[in-house]
């Protein structure tokens, strides 16, 4: 049988792509090497705008809402912002399974515990060999297999430059709600710590029944310590500040790469497209990938449907690119990268930024809403710049 679309990788990006393509009437096969539910290293902060592209089970499958965030400066000054129900928090092991179920419910055929091994082009079809020993044919191929340049991606001409990537270490530990309430309060707020690493940050995300701690920094600015040493030092600081119970065991921590600059080039070739982390769809400011990855999955599904039903005016890769550029790409690449370079320039700059947030209510609100994916980067950039002189002057008293 020849599928209209084969999606490699049933993470959020791949599952959302498969769901929208199946809903549009395409014959879709979604394969993943893992058996779900499976673990994925992640903070699990999910901006509300992501709901636009999710199915019903994923929308209902969030762990809890956050009511704001606290941004800590390198000198440990805290900018505290409250806004009820401004962000969702998910536990990826459970949530990714829900996103996958939405794809299956929409009619996509799903093969779990099945790895894609090689891809070759045969006329106008792709042939994908699977770990089961089977070979499947498809007219269109979407690769949503996460960060990592696997050989079949290289064979199709795709790249993943070293300086576009970041390193992370993260641990999510089950913890009694009463202990989390006692340590961090009953309202769930996410905590971001600047200054833990040069170009990046540490985080502490309290959820219902789970505590998520991590660090991430760009490859291009790697510190002298290893990523595990940076993580362990951060956990020690959190314990000293009594923000984490002293007997919490974070030895389950894992390292994972993440794109942290802008979408890769090329983003597609012929009838094959990259989505999610495989395409570098992660914010260069916050590392938010769930929104961008699932949005890229939606756009890939729509661009492929347009080729199949004959409504596309241009070739697949151009159509896909103009869809995600118009939706979020221009904002992410232009204003997002500008903001990332502005904020992460130095420890001094991060200190100033947080002090400006503390001193000036409007700057605090704008920056907090940008971090939580409520305000766009271009909106945040112009608002922060407009108040820069005033808030910098006010910050002298912090
Ligand atoms: C430590 C850390 C913290 C993060 N925190 C946040 C956060 O708080 N909020 C946020 O929005 N983003 C966050 N991100 C980013 C987010 O996790 C990713 O952007 C997101 O997981 C991308 O989804 P995806 O579907 O592209 O890839 P993935 O979630 O990585 O899924 C890829 C899938 O492909 C499968 N696969 C791989 N190779 C093959 C193969 N050969 N054949 C078949 N299947 C294959 C894998 O098993 C996997 O299921 C974080 C990332 C990290 C590393």
């Amino acid at each position: 049988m020849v599928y209209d679309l084969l999606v490699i990788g049933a993470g959020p990006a791949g599952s959302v792509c498969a769901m929208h393509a199946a809903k549009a009437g395409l014959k879709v096969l979604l394969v993943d090497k893992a058996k779900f539910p499976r673990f994925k290293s992640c903070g699990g902060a999910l901006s509300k705008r992501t709901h636009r592209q999710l199915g019903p089970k994923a929308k209902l499958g969030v762990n809890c809402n956050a009511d704001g965030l606290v941004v800590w400066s390198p000198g440990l000054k805290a900018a505290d912002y409250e806004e009820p129900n401004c962000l969702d928090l998910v536990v990826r092991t459970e949530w990714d399974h829900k996103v996958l179920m939405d794809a299956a419910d929409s009619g996509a055929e799903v093969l779990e515990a099945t790895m894609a091994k090689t891809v070759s082009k045969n006329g106008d079809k792709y042939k994908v060999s699977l770990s089961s020993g089977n070979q499947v044919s498809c007219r269109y191929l979407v690769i949503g297999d996460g960060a990592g340049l696997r050989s079949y991606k290289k064979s199709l001409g795709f790249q993943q430059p070293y300086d576009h990537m970041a390193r992370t270490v993260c641990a999510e530990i089950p913890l009694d709600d009463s202990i989390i309430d006692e340590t961090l309060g009953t309202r769930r707020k996410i905590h971001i710590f600047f200054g833990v690493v040069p170009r990046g940050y540490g985080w502490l995300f309290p959820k219902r029944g789970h505590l998520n701690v991590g660090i991430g920094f760009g490859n291009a600015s790697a510190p002298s310590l290893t990523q595990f040493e940076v993580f362990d030092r951060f956990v020690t600081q959190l314990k000293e500040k009594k923000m984490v119970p002293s007997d919490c065991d974070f030895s389950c921590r894992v390292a994972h790469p993440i794109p942290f600059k802008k979408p890769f080039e090329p983003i597609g070739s012929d009838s094959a497209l990259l989505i999610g982390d495989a395409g570098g769809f992660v914010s260069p400011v916050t590392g938010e990938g769930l929104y961008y990855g699932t949005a890229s999955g939606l756009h890939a599904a729509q661009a492929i449907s347009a080729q199949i039903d004959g409504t596309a005016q241009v070739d697949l890769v151009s159509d896909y690119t103009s869809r995600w550029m118009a939706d979020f790409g221009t904002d992410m690449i232009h204003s997002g990268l500008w903001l990332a370079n502005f904020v992460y320039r130095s420890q001094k700059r991060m200190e100033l930024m947080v002090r400006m947030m503390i001193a000036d209510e409007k700057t605090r609100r704008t920056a907090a809403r940008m971090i939580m994916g409520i305000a766009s980067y271009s909106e945040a950039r112009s608002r922060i710049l407009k108040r820069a002189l005033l808030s910098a002057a006010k910050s002298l008293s912090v």
Side-chain angles (χ1 to χ4, degrees), residues 319-335:
D319 188 22
Y320 174 52
T321 304
S322 49
R323 284 171 191 265
W324 62 259
M325 277 300 282
D327 183 14
F328 60 78
T330 306
D331 186 56
M332 180 209 256
I333 294 170
H334 296 127
S335 302

Side-chain angles (χ1 to χ4, degrees), residues 8-14 31-34 36 38 40-45 92 114-116 144-146 150 152 168 170 203 205 256 258 276-277 282 287-290:
I8 302 177
V31 298
D32 200 291
K33 64 180 182 182
F36 285 67
R38 60 100 178 86
K40 164 69 178 79
S41 180
C42 184
R92 289 289 301 273
T114 304
M115 183 190 280
D145 60 357
R150 295 171 185 91
Y152 53 80
T168 68
C170 178
W203 69 85
F205 294 172
H256 198 86
I258 181 175
D277 280 12
V282 176
E288 176 183 8
L290 293 172

Side-chain angles (χ1 to χ4, degrees), residues 53-73:
Q53 52 250 12
L54 297 178
K57 290 200 164 97
K59 280 183 192 166
L60 288 173
V62 302
N63 169 277
C64 66
N65 306 125
D67 291 331
L69 90 168
V70 186
V71 184
W72 296 82
S73 76

Side-chain angles (χ1 to χ4, degrees), residues 39-45 63 89-95 169-175 203 205-214 231 249-254:
F39 171 78
K40 164 69 178 79
S41 180
C42 184
N63 169 277
L89 291 166
V90 299
V91 171
R92 289 289 301 273
T93 308
E94 301 156 5
W95 188 72
V169 177
C170 178
E172 183 152 81
I173 55 164
L175 195 62
W203 69 85
F205 294 172
K207 305 180 186 176
R208 291 283 157 219
H210 295 268
L211 204 55
N212 189 297
V213 175
F231 178 88
D249 178 10
F250 289 95
S251 57
C252 62
R253 69 215 200 315
V254 291

Side-chain angles (χ1 to χ4, degrees), residues 27-204:
K27 193 177 278 298
V28 181
L29 178 65
L30 173 62
V31 298
D32 200 291
K33 64 180 182 182
K35 173 97 185 84
F36 285 67
R38 60 100 178 86
F39 171 78
K40 164 69 178 79
S41 180
C42 184
L46 184 78
S47 58
K48 294 280 183 188
R49 59 188 168 171
T50 315
H51 284 245
R52 175 192 70 169
Q53 52 250 12
L54 297 178
K57 290 200 164 97
K59 280 183 192 166
L60 288 173
V62 302
N63 169 277
C64 66
N65 306 125
D67 291 331
L69 90 168
V70 186
V71 184
W72 296 82
S73 76
L76 292 178
K77 297 272 181 195
D80 192 336
Y81 176 77
E82 270 192 33
E83 183 174 329
N85 194 10
C86 54
L87 184 75
D88 288 331
L89 291 166
V90 299
V91 171
R92 289 289 301 273
T93 308
E94 301 156 5
W95 188 72
D96 284 22
H97 197 198
K98 303 241 161 49
V99 189
L100 172 62
M101 286 193 264
D102 282 330
D105 291 350
S106 301
E109 195 180 316
V110 178
L111 283 180
E112 295 180 49
T114 304
M115 183 190 280
K117 299 191 85 170
T118 60
V119 176
S120 57
K121 191 93 201 267
N122 193 349
D124 60 350
K125 313 239 172 1
Y126 290 99
K127 279 203 181 309
V128 179
S129 64
L130 304 174
S131 54
S132 56
N134 293 338
Q135 233 191 16
V136 283
S137 292
C138 58
R139 294 169 68 192
Y140 294 91
L141 178 69
V142 163
I143 303 179
D145 60 357
L149 192 54
R150 295 171 185 91
S151 54
Y152 53 80
K153 285 196 265 194
K154 278 192 202 159
S155 75
L156 293 170
F158 295 124
Q159 297 173 17
Q160 192 173 288
Y162 178 79
D163 68 345
H164 280 48
M165 302 298 292
R167 296 172 211 185
T168 68
V169 177
C170 178
E172 183 152 81
I173 55 164
L175 195 62
D176 220 68
D177 270 331
S178 59
I179 300 175
I180 300 176
D181 292 351
E182 204 176 291
T183 317
L184 292 160
T186 49
R187 300 187 81 175
R188 296 291 181 258
K189 278 188 180 177
I190 62 166
H191 293 256
I192 305 278
F193 295 82
F194 286 128
V196 172
V197 275
R199 194 184 168 105
Y201 61 89
W203 69 85
L204 168 63

Side-chain angles (χ1 to χ4, degrees), residues 241-291:
K241 273 187 78 62
K242 301 202 183 317
M243 294 185 76
V244 160
S246 56
D247 56 354
C248 269
D249 178 10
F250 289 95
S251 57
C252 62
R253 69 215 200 315
V254 291
H256 198 86
I258 181 175
F260 197 45
K261 197 164 184 178
K262 57 181 182 172
F264 304 136
E265 290 173 35
I267 200 65
S269 158
D270 205 355
S271 304
L273 301 177
L274 299 178
I275 60 169
D277 280 12
F281 289 103
V282 176
S283 161
V285 186
T286 59
E288 176 183 8
L290 293 172
Y291 165 71

